[in-house]
Every structure is written in structure tokens, then in C-alpha cells.
Amino acid sequence: MLFYLFATLAILSAAYMVLTRNLLYAGFSLLVTLLSVAGIYVLLYADFVAVTQLMVYVGGVLVLILFGIMLSSRVHDKSVLSESVNKVWGVVVTGFILVGLSYTILNANISALPWLQAAGTDVLGQQKSTVQRVGIKLMTDFVVPFELASLLLLIALIGAAYIATDKPKV
Amino acid sequence: MNQIPDIIRTIPLNYYLYFSTALFIIGVIGVLIRRNAIVIFMCVELMLNAVNLLLTAIASYRADTNGQVFVFFIMAVAAAEVCVGLAIIVMTYRNTRSTDVQLLNNLKW
């Protein structure tokens, strides 16, 4: 049922990204979409892909896009200025959340949960994760594309640094 | 080769197909209707993500890691694309003071 939650979240935030007029909102809804897709990777037992999605997309690509937004749009609207509103309600709601979480933790008796007891037997069958198989594939069957990808990344790095630098007018 | 548990198959593969199709279509719509270069860029990323999701889903259903390896190559190419593309967008903004793609018609005859 988590699949439906993540899928709905991904599609809604993707639609919002296309429809909104605010560039920063679009960037952050893309963040929500990428996180939901990472969650679906976890549901598919593709753990290494999920972690790579988090690191490459959420950590790298999205930060780059936000940099691009900041560098390429005039900051004229007030939404950039961050003032705090709803102080009282925010504190009350967060206090309730804190109390609820603490109550749950106190009552949960976590160390006796059945799935935690059964964690010694792994869910995935013989192997615990897909990292080993993906690594072996990358180093045997796909070694030439792997090296080509590293070369491509180096070329892209040099090219981007060359394009984006301020060249002095000759 | 039945190492992937049956719990994945509780959700039919068709749903993953529909889901990634929906993401892809949203990306295509964004590329077609938006005029800001950065939003077009994000929509391209969204389409790449839809393809990645489909590859991973089918790889998981087949208990086969080849699809996941492809996902890594797609991610590498996407990272390179974002890197160069955003450099180009920043450069375009410096020259034209705008990221509107409809203004870039200098080569139009």
C-alpha cells in the first residue's frame, strides 16, 4: 500500500512541478518526486539504486538545479525573504507531535517486535542486498561502458567548467 | 533464479507500467508547454526517472540485475547532461538576461 502512496505523491508533485509558475516551488516539488521514486526503488528491493538515486539526484542534480534557479532568475518577489508566521500554532502542533512520538516510543517495547527478532533470516533469499551482484556485473560484463561513463563524466566536468567561466573579453 | 521474494509481485507489473507512463507523459507535457529552460530541464530529468523506474521494476520482477546496471549508466549520463546543460543555461542568462527559450531565435531564418 506504500506503493500507492508513493506513486500518488510522485505524480501529484510532478504535475505541480509542471503547472506552477514559481521556479523554486517547481524545484522543491521535483525534490518530492525524486524522493518518492527512491521510496519505490526501496519497495522493489533495489537498495543500491535507491541509495544512488538519493545521492545523485537529490544530492547532486537537484542542488545543481537550485543553483541554476538562483543564478538565473531575478529575485524580486517577497517569497525569498523568510519571515516567521504562525508562531503559536507551529509551536503547539510541534509540541503535540513531540508528545505523541514520545508516548509511542515509551509504549512500543521496540526490542520485542517480531520482525526485529526475525531480522537474522534475510528477506531477499540467499543474498542480503543487490550491491554485490551489481558490482560483479559492473566489473565483468559491463566494464567497457563503465569506463566510458567515467570518461563521459570527466568530459562533462571540464566542459561545464569551461562554458560557465567568465571569459575575459579579448 | 527465484531469489526475489513474492512480496514484490503483490503489486502487478502493469501498475508500474502505468505509473512510469504517467511520469513520462507529465515530463513530455512540461517540455512542450513550458517556456522556461530550467523547468524544461527538470522535466527531462523526470522523464529519465520514469525510464529508470521502469527498468528497475522489470529487473526486480525478473530477479535480474542487468536492468539495475543500466540504471546506473542512465544516471551517469543524466548527471553529465545536467552539468553541461545548466552551464549553458547560466551562460544564456548572462547573454540575454532571460531563460525563456522562445527568445533564442537568433538562428531562425
Side-chain angles (χ1 to χ4, degrees):
Chain A
M1 304 325 96
L2 271 178
F3 169 76
Y4 302 109
L5 175 71
F6 281 134
T8 321
L9 203 60
I11 287 181
L12 285 183
S13 57
Y16 184 72
M17 178 189 86
V18 172
L19 295 179
T20 184
R21 298 181 57 87
N22 192 324
L23 268 182
L24 272 178
Y25 289 172
F28 285 117
S29 52
L30 181 65
L31 169 75
V32 175
T33 310
L34 294 178
L35 284 177
S36 316
V37 172
I40 288 176
Y41 286 156
V42 173
L43 292 184
L44 281 170
Y45 289 90
D47 47 356
F48 195 40
V49 179
V51 174
T52 318
Q53 164 95 0
L54 283 183
M55 285 178 64
V56 173
Y57 274 106
V58 181
V61 168
L62 205 77
V63 171
L64 258 180
I65 285 177
L66 285 180
F67 262 116
I69 292 173
M70 305 270 179
L71 281 178
S72 69
S73 51
R74 282 173 295 271
V75 185
H76 50 70
D77 49 349
K78 288 273 177 59
S79 65
V80 179
L81 302 172
S82 76
E83 299 164 9
S84 28
V85 290
N86 294 333
K87 281 177 191 159
V88 176
W89 279 110
V91 170
V92 166
V93 168
T94 354
F96 272 120
I97 291 173
L98 178 64
V99 168
L101 282 178
S102 312
Y103 183 74
T104 315
I105 291 171
L106 279 178
N107 282 327
N109 194 9
I110 286 178
S111 55
L113 286 180
W115 58 270
L116 210 61
Q117 298 291 326
T121 65
D122 42 81
V123 191
L124 271 182
Q126 278 95 16
Q127 97 264 354
K128 289 232 181 198
S129 75
T130 58
V131 178
Q132 191 184 9
R133 285 168 70 188
V134 169
I136 288 174
K137 286 273 186 204
L138 274 179
M139 277 294 125
T140 53
D141 292 346
F142 295 97
V143 66
V144 177
F146 183 66
E147 299 294 334
L148 282 181
S150 68
L151 195 64
L152 175 77
L153 285 176
L154 178 68
I155 294 172
L157 185 68
I158 297 174
Y162 176 71
I163 291 172
T165 42
D166 250 337
K167 285 176 275 293
K169 296 273 187 284
V170 183
Chain B
M1 195 89 190
N2 199 5
Q3 288 174 334
I4 298 293
D6 289 334
I7 191 167
I8 288 179
R9 297 173 194 268
T10 53
I11 293 169
L13 186 57
N14 272 343
Y15 288 3
Y16 285 100
L17 281 170
Y18 290 136
F19 174 47
S20 50
T21 310
L23 279 185
F24 193 85
I25 291 299
I26 290 173
V28 172
I29 289 173
V31 167
L32 289 181
I33 70 173
R34 294 306 298 264
R35 294 173 56 187
N36 193 309
I38 293 179
V39 177
I40 290 176
F41 226 73
M42 294 196 282
C43 292
V44 172
E45 291 302 313
L46 191 66
M47 289 193 276
L48 285 170
N49 254 287
V51 173
N52 277 350
L53 183 73
L54 196 56
L55 270 175
T56 313
I58 292 180
S60 287
Y61 272 73
R62 292 199 60 220
D64 184 5
T65 24
N66 282 324
Q68 298 191 16
V69 176
F70 284 154
V71 169
F72 290 111
F73 293 130
I74 294 178
M75 278 186 185
V77 173
E81 174 229 344
V82 163
C83 180
V84 176
L86 277 174
I88 291 174
I89 288 177
V90 169
M91 230 24 231
T92 313
Y93 178 73
R94 255 187 226 151
N95 286 331
T96 65
R97 310 308 295 169
S98 161
T99 49
D100 196 340
V101 288
Q102 309 244 318
L103 294 179
L104 301 176
N105 53 3
N106 293 334
L107 288 180
K108 211 173 180 180
W109 184 50

